[in-house]
Amino acid sequence: MDMVFVSPTTRISSIRSFSSLSRRQYDSHSYSSTALRPSPRRLIPRFPSLRLNNLYTRCSMTNIEVLNNIVTEEVDHDSSPDASSCSVPIVHLSSEIHDTESTNLLVEGTYVDMILTTLPILSEEEQDVIAAMPAHPAGLYALYASCLAGNLVEQLWNFAWPAAIALLHPSLLPVAVMGFCTKVAVIAGGPLVGKLMDLFPRVPAYNILTTVQASAQLLSAGMIMKAHMAHASLETSVLMRPWFIILVLAGAVERLSGLALGVAVERDWVVLLAGTNRPIALAQANAILSRIDLLCEIAGASLFGILLSKYETVTCLKLAAALMMWAWPVVIGLTWLTNKLSYGVLDRAKCPQTCCQTSSREPVPRVDNLVDISMAAIKHGWDEYMQQPVLPASLAYVLLCFNVVLAPGGLMTAFLTQHGLNPSLIGGFSCLCAFMGVGATFMSAQMVKQLGILKAGAAGLIWQASVLTMAVGVYWSGALTKQAALLVFLGLIVLSRLGHMSYEVVGAQIQQTGIPPSKANLIGATEVSIASLAESIILGVVIIANDVSHFGFLATLSLLSVVGAAWLFCRWLASPSDVQKSLLSL
């Protein structure tokens, strides 16, 4: 049934509701079904006594069942002849339904986004145009600039520290210890940081974490420079060196801060700026963020690789530290600009009214009870994570995180450095992997359009598993001592990134669609913590088998994790639940 709201142009003396309306009287009033959208504050007259002489209609049709009956009354409270002959159609509304709908329209300022669902009178082409238009385009551009500045420094440092440490030690042990400790920190602190991000205002919390991350990066760079200037060697008593202990702690803090910043942008901010009910705009924003991250990886790896091949390690680290100090105020300023250009959307409440009633009763965490709060946050995050409707897609992502060997990263950089490969070639390998990721962001959109979101994810996983199987076969063939075979091995890993990044883009959209906005930071941080647990397990194996000769065994473990992720996702694809079908529009 359609709901009609009548707005008079002159005074109305009184309005009363009746129980019936004859078909003849109702048909005498012709209303247009494509009219103006009224403000929620004007849906019901708020005056006790109103009068009209003449009447014309302004209507809004919203296919919702809220009418009990429609009646007319001869308004005869005025002695004027015009008023006595006017027949007024009256809409009788249920107050409970009206109150609920008004509240839902006003919560979190989502009225603009809900136009897509409350006005089905637009054509399909017009709806596609609106769905592809971000809610806050200027704010999105500022967010892209902020991510560009922050990710450039982060990706440069992710390439710099393992390369610099690998020059001090002939095995994978120090890099594995660093990676293991940072993953443990993320496992323990990830849910707590995610909960704190959900409790505190977005912009101040983001700026504080940006400052913490920059400080930790500068401290880490200083410790590595100290080791190189002292000509230290890590062959013995690696855990007893004071500078290395400080380096491990600083690295854990830096990674934990980066985790929180990434979850806030990718799972929370981009959804608010693109629009919760604008899937095309959200998909485009996700793709652009992935391209920015990959382009920063290309720039960071190539820049530090070229510098490392021409200058001393200490000089390169000093240049990296200077870039960190430059990027810190830029990121903070662009974050403030993002919020201003989006009209303060980041300052609004993080959860709808139904959730705020529960969360508002939770006290702000106290520092003296941090351990209990952390344990409670881990338990709560784990419960929410296991209850999410798109759990298989998330578990497939976690299995992919076991693959820390057959991927660009600290272990691969250390392996290639100790294999005698030129630093510029190592940087080129990382750049090619990132270029494949950029191509995957374009390809994934077409895959989703042609195959659907679930089949596109399965295709990416199957491609990655197939290509990595060939790469491991090349390694076990024993021909890796020749440079040509080594380049073939690296080329297959580069090709595998096409499938990996395709699934990462598709999986991000699956998560954004299936996770409630009020739990985005908590579930997202918990997912990263579980993924860090997977990485820490394989890094623990690397610590035990830290000799370069065991690289083939570690590569085989990584391959098995990718094959397991493809199997799990394909099994879910074969039999999704009804809830998952409705969420993913299957």
Side-chain angles (χ1 to χ4, degrees):
M1 183 181 295
D2 293 334
M3 179 170 61
V4 182
F5 299 100
V6 181
S7 176
T9 58
T10 58
R11 296 185 304 122
I12 304 175
S13 60
S14 64
I15 293 179
R16 295 198 304 267
S17 296
F18 291 81
S19 59
S20 64
L21 171 66
S22 67
R23 184 67 179 173
R24 180 182 59 83
Q25 291 172 316
Y26 181 76
D27 290 341
S28 64
H29 300 277
S30 60
Y31 295 93
S32 172
S33 63
T34 58
L36 300 176
R37 299 188 299 268
S39 170
R41 298 180 180 271
R42 301 180 61 183
L43 298 183
I44 293 181
R46 297 183 178 271
F47 303 99
S49 63
L50 302 169
R51 182 192 305 249
L52 78 152
N53 292 328
N54 298 314
L55 177 70
Y56 71 89
T57 59
R58 291 181 295 177
C59 306
S60 176
M61 312 300 289
T62 64
N63 297 319
I64 53 177
E65 298 285 343
V66 298
L67 295 185
N68 289 345
N69 45 51
I70 302 177
V71 298
T72 59
E73 177 188 7
E74 297 294 334
V75 180
D76 54 0
H77 296 283
D78 197 324
S79 59
S80 63
D82 293 335
S84 61
S85 61
C86 184
S87 178
V88 183
I90 306 299
V91 180
H92 183 68
L93 301 176
S94 172
S95 60
E96 295 181 357
I97 297 176
H98 174 264
D99 291 340
T100 302
E101 292 297 320
S102 298
T103 301
N104 290 339
L105 289 175
L106 296 176
V107 166
E108 287 193 52
T110 57
Y111 174 70
V112 176
D113 290 332
M114 291 183 66
I115 290 176
L116 293 176
T117 57
T118 59
L119 286 182
I121 62 174
L122 299 175
S123 65
E124 184 176 352
E125 292 78 10
E126 291 172 332
Q127 293 183 32
D128 290 340
V129 170
I130 296 179
M133 185 183 302
H136 305 282
L140 266 180
Y141 293 141
L143 180 67
Y144 297 153
S146 176
C147 291
L148 180 64
N151 287 359
L152 178 61
V153 174
E154 185 173 349
Q155 294 296 343
L156 184 144
W157 183 242
N158 288 341
F159 180 84
W161 74 260
I165 292 179
L167 295 173
L168 294 171
H169 197 274
S171 75
L172 303 176
L173 181 61
V175 176
V177 170
M178 276 280 297
F180 179 80
C181 292
T182 55
K183 300 307 176 186
V184 170
V186 170
I187 294 168
L192 176 61
V193 173
K195 185 172 183 178
L196 293 177
M197 290 289 287
D198 279 333
L199 288 177
F200 290 101
R202 290 183 176 94
V203 176
Y206 189 91
N207 289 336
I208 291 173
L209 286 175
T210 300
T211 304
V212 172
Q213 184 185 36
S215 302
Q217 290 171 346
L218 289 172
L219 181 59
S220 300
M223 293 299 102
I224 298 177
M225 284 190 286
K226 177 180 168 102
H228 276 276
M229 288 187 293
H231 303 286
S233 177
L234 301 179
E235 294 182 4
T236 58
S237 305
V238 59
L239 299 179
M240 302 302 297
R241 308 232 173 199
W243 67 266
F244 187 76
I245 295 175
I246 297 174
L247 177 64
V248 169
L249 294 176
V253 173
E254 188 272 337
R255 192 64 263 141
L256 194 58
S257 302
L259 155 70
L261 295 173
V263 169
V265 170
E266 296 173 5
R267 299 293 176 84
D268 188 12
W269 290 25
V270 68
V271 179
L272 292 172
L273 296 174
T276 55
N277 287 341
R278 305 185 182 209
I280 300 177
L282 181 58
Q284 292 173 347
N286 288 331
I288 291 175
L289 286 177
S290 297
R291 292 166 197 161
I292 289 174
D293 185 63
L294 293 168
L295 290 174
C296 289
E297 184 178 346
I298 294 171
S302 58
L303 176 61
F304 196 83
I306 294 173
L307 291 175
L308 198 60
S309 63
K310 295 181 176 294
Y311 303 101
E312 295 291 333
T313 305
V314 175
T315 304
C316 298
L317 291 173
K318 289 180 180 179
L319 293 175
L323 184 61
M324 296 171 191
M325 289 186 289
W326 168 84
W328 170 66
V330 173
V331 172
I332 291 180
L334 289 173
T335 302
W336 172 83
L337 183 62
T338 300
N339 191 40
K340 183 178 180 181
L341 292 177
S342 60
Y343 304 102
V345 69
L346 302 180
D347 292 331
R348 298 177 190 173
K350 296 188 178 185
C351 58
Q353 189 174 4
T354 55
C355 298
C356 288
Q357 293 175 353
T358 301
S359 61
S360 61
R361 297 191 186 104
E362 298 181 4
V364 177
R366 296 174 57 186
V367 177
D368 56 358
N369 201 23
L370 193 60
V371 176
D372 294 339
I373 293 173
S374 180
M375 295 303 297
I378 292 174
K379 183 179 183 302
H380 184 211
W382 178 264
D383 293 339
E384 295 290 349
Y385 177 81
M386 297 302 296
Q387 294 173 7
Q388 63 171 311
V390 290
L391 179 62
S394 179
L395 291 178
Y397 168 77
V398 171
L399 284 174
L400 290 181
C401 293
F402 276 98
N403 179 25
V404 297
V405 177
L406 298 176
L411 290 177
M412 179 61 72
T413 300
F415 169 74
L416 296 177
T417 300
Q418 294 168 11
H419 209 74
L421 203 64
N422 189 281
S424 60
L425 292 178
I426 300 175
F429 163 73
S430 298
C431 292
L432 288 176
C433 290
F435 270 122
M436 281 295 171
V438 174
T441 61
F442 292 98
M443 186 183 70
S444 60
Q446 294 298 322
M447 291 174 61
V448 171
K449 184 177 181 180
Q450 298 294 330
L451 303 176
I453 190 169
L454 291 184
K455 290 183 180 180
L461 290 173
I462 293 173
W463 171 265
Q464 184 182 11
S466 302
V467 176
L468 286 182
T469 300
M470 292 187 287
V472 173
V474 171
Y475 181 88
W476 283 112
S477 66
L480 213 63
T481 53
K482 300 178 181 179
Q483 188 171 8
L486 179 62
L487 293 179
V488 171
F489 172 74
L490 295 179
L492 290 172
I493 294 178
V494 169
L495 290 176
S496 72
R497 304 304 293 175
L498 194 64
H500 177 86
M501 290 305 303
S502 296
Y503 179 76
E504 191 167 294
V505 173
V506 172
Q509 190 162 353
I510 293 175
Q511 294 289 100
Q512 291 167 341
T513 305
I515 296 177
S518 60
K519 302 176 182 178
N521 282 318
L522 177 62
I523 295 178
T526 303
E527 179 190 64
V528 177
S529 297
I530 298 173
S532 297
L533 175 62
E535 294 180 17
S536 66
I537 292 174
I538 193 69
L539 287 172
V541 177
V542 174
I543 292 174
I544 298 173
N546 60 76
D547 194 85
V548 180
S549 60
H550 297 143
F551 186 82
F553 168 72
L554 300 173
T556 304
L557 290 180
S558 295
L559 173 63
L560 291 177
S561 67
V562 176
V563 173
W567 173 82
L568 176 63
F569 193 88
C570 291
R571 182 181 177 184
W572 179 48
L573 175 62
S575 57
S577 65
D578 294 336
V579 175
Q580 293 160 352
K581 289 180 180 179
S582 63
L583 285 173
L584 302 174
S585 301
L586 299 178

